[in-house]
Amino acid sequence: MAFTVTGVANRGMALIGCDTVIHALAKATEMMRRGYLDVMIADRRGAQYTPDQFHRFFRS
């Protein structure tokens, strides 16, 4: 997996692996729409980005 998307909801923390930039952004957007807080996307090196930062750095 190239990216990991994390977020916190009242049910606990979610962690989703994604293979592409597009998939990571889609999952982050979905999580925010569902009410998750502190949604972050991490790359293979462990650097973490907010979805907005990730979009600016990794857009194709």
Side-chain angles (χ1 to χ4, degrees), residues 1-6 15-25 27 40-47 49 54 58:
M1 279 172 272
F3 305 101
T4 304
V5 183
T6 59
L15 183 136
I16 300 168
C18 300
D19 292 324
T20 67
V21 169
I22 293 170
H23 188 220
L25 283 170
K27 283 297 177 183
M40 300 293 286
I41 304 170
D43 63 17
R44 287 182 190 184
R45 296 174 296 140
Y49 307 90
F54 185 82
F58 290 95

Side-chain angles (χ1 to χ4, degrees), residues 33-53:
R33 189 172 41 244
R34 290 184 176 193
Y36 282 80
L37 302 174
D38 300 324
V39 175
M40 300 293 286
I41 304 170
D43 63 17
R44 287 182 190 184
R45 296 174 296 140
Q48 293 192 343
Y49 307 90
T50 65
D52 187 49
Q53 291 170 328

